[in-house]
Amino acid sequence: MSASAQRQEIILNDNWAFRFSHQVQKHTQRVDLPHTWNGQDAQSGKADYKRGIGNYEKTLYIRPEWKGKRLFLRFDGVNSIANVFVNRKHIGEHRGGYAAFVFEITDQVEYGQKNSLLVRANNAEQLDVMPLVGDFNFYGGIYRDVHLLITEPTCISPLDHASPGVYLVQESVNRNQADVMVKVNLDNKTAAQDVELRVQVNDGAKLISRQTSHVSLASNAALQTQVPISIKKPRLWNGRKDPFMYQVTVELFKGGKLVDSVKQPLGLRYYHTDPDKGFFLNGEHIALKGVCRHQDRAEVGNALRPCHHEEDVALMLEMGVNAVRLAHYPQASYVYDLMDKYGIITWAEIPFVGPGGYADKGFVDQTSFRENGKLQLIELIRQHYNHPAICFWGMFNELKEVGDNPVEYVKELNALSKREDPTRPTTSASNQDGSLNFLTENIAWNRYDGWYGSTPRTLATFLDQTHKKHPQLRIGISEYGAGASIYHQQDSLKQPAPAGWWHPENWQTYYHMENWKIIADRPFVWGTFVWNMFDFGAAHRTEGDRPGINDKGLVTFDRKVRKDAFYFYKANWNKQEPTLYLAEKRCTLRTQPEQTIMAFTTAPEVELFVNNVSQGKQKTDGFATVIWKGVSLQEGENVIRVVTPGKHPLSDQVTVTYSRNPFIQ
């Protein structure tokens, strides 16, 4: 339990009884949250994995001393429809699997007694809940935390779409002054009264600003009040360079007594995208070197714990990532906290997802679907409004204009986003021509030049022609990637069939090397995002080294192995950490007598040794790569080693076997 002023919060993750809805004889099993029932069946390549209703029930003792207070249940994420019951009485439904939601249960519980809490989670296919389709798994269950929140009758409201009830609106920010409007939602369930609101800004223990406001609350009423604050010569949140944040504490007093308190981060920054020069943060150009991230991993599905998020972010930081697209849906609040903490520019989006290269559509033109999408957009913005890392709200991914045309609806979503948050620009991820590319303030494309046919050079042609034809368009790359299995090795470079069972790692490496050279040479591209940072589950896929996996990640699904392309980016993006990595170390059986040896490094020069014989030194090219061509191997085992010069040399090596006939050992 944690307490802040008179507010208490209790995590309700332990000891739930779980059964599927078809198990009517109540054969339950104990589970702890986070939990999903698809951690293994969806990841086994079973395309018709379980999609239906799972029942979660637990006993909740409501203390007698809580009578006279207010009780709220907060669910951080239930996929994808949740119906909640207290003592078998229905108290509410939430439709959408990736946002938090809150129900008040003050009048539904029995005080001083054990109460029944039942949640029916439904991940079945729906035509009026986003997303309709997607190249990822739709796990089921209560896969994020559940909280019991206890407040006084007058409180800072948690009921505004599960937001913190405090919005820090950065009305004007520059290096000389920051003007912020603090908007606070108050909720009163007693008689009319006067309250005092105090807003305090701190830099650690140092007080920066304190403002007080007196508010008159009507009986059983809710309102939003505003308190302006200004900071002279602010220290800015400056991405990876200096992700500094102030702390804002909003305190509510009644009769001189503190009755509620909420703390929020305040990262002051200003930024824009330029059609010719790209992204600028606090007046300084930054090349956004980003990745995309799905929220699942091997075995546990999307039922992730804090350590999983921390490991993912640590891998991003190691590689030198400074931007992330959290695809294709809102992710855990803790993930946004980590983005804030480490200064990673973030694209956050709603799950308005098209089918990619598969059947069906991502948009059905019916009122219930349109309203659900708007609700999910409001939830995304209000719940995560105060995160300084979030710089873009994403409206859609890979929609199609044939049939039910989503253009007018996307216009509505874009306008809704600007009403909810005028301070942040919108963007989208497209994969085709059409009107959809001109609706949001920024646009980005999902490009797979050199994987789904063609060659990397077509990416250069596309970018140059699009920029020339539409010079005012702010162009980004929202996805680019190629599949790779660490078990599929070849010592010659051959382009594979993407839908086949052979995904050689060296082709993914070549793909990323060539694509990044093109991207890095075009400053008008406002941001780029590798698809994907990690392999992820996609039950319908039958390719690579096993079914059920999208293997375009730079790191394996279990996070245990960094693929070669990871080290290419690390050497290019992370100049703070000395790197030397010998590529193709997993290709231990060589069939060609002459080999091309390649390494990625932050060093200016590298020397190659084969069986302790120097093959010469090579200068690093402009993309942290050194290559030796025509290197001869002897029959049998060969020790290949690369070394950097200097007092503190780096080295890397591998032992490979060369055989004229690899089938005779």
Side-chain angles (χ1 to χ4, degrees), residues 269-321:
R269 75 283 185 271
Y270 58 96
Y271 61 94
H272 73 282
T273 49
D274 183 273
D276 292 316
K277 300 177 182 179
F279 181 80
F280 289 78
L281 177 63
N282 303 326
E284 179 184 356
H285 176 261
I286 296 179
L288 295 186
K289 302 167 183 176
V291 294
C292 299
R293 188 242 191 188
H294 267 300
Q295 66 172 12
D296 72 335
R297 62 167 61 202
E299 298 182 349
V300 298
N302 63 354
L304 303 184
R305 297 181 181 274
C307 61
H308 297 129
H309 302 306
E310 291 162 2
E311 183 180 22
D312 283 5
V313 174
L315 285 163
M316 294 179 194
L317 296 174
E318 179 190 343
M319 199 173 83
V321 166

Side-chain angles (χ1 to χ4, degrees), residues 438 465-475:
F438 303 93
Q465 289 181 350
T466 303
H467 184 53
K468 182 178 180 180
K469 186 176 181 180
H470 305 287
Q472 297 307 310
L473 206 59
R474 296 172 173 86
I475 298 170

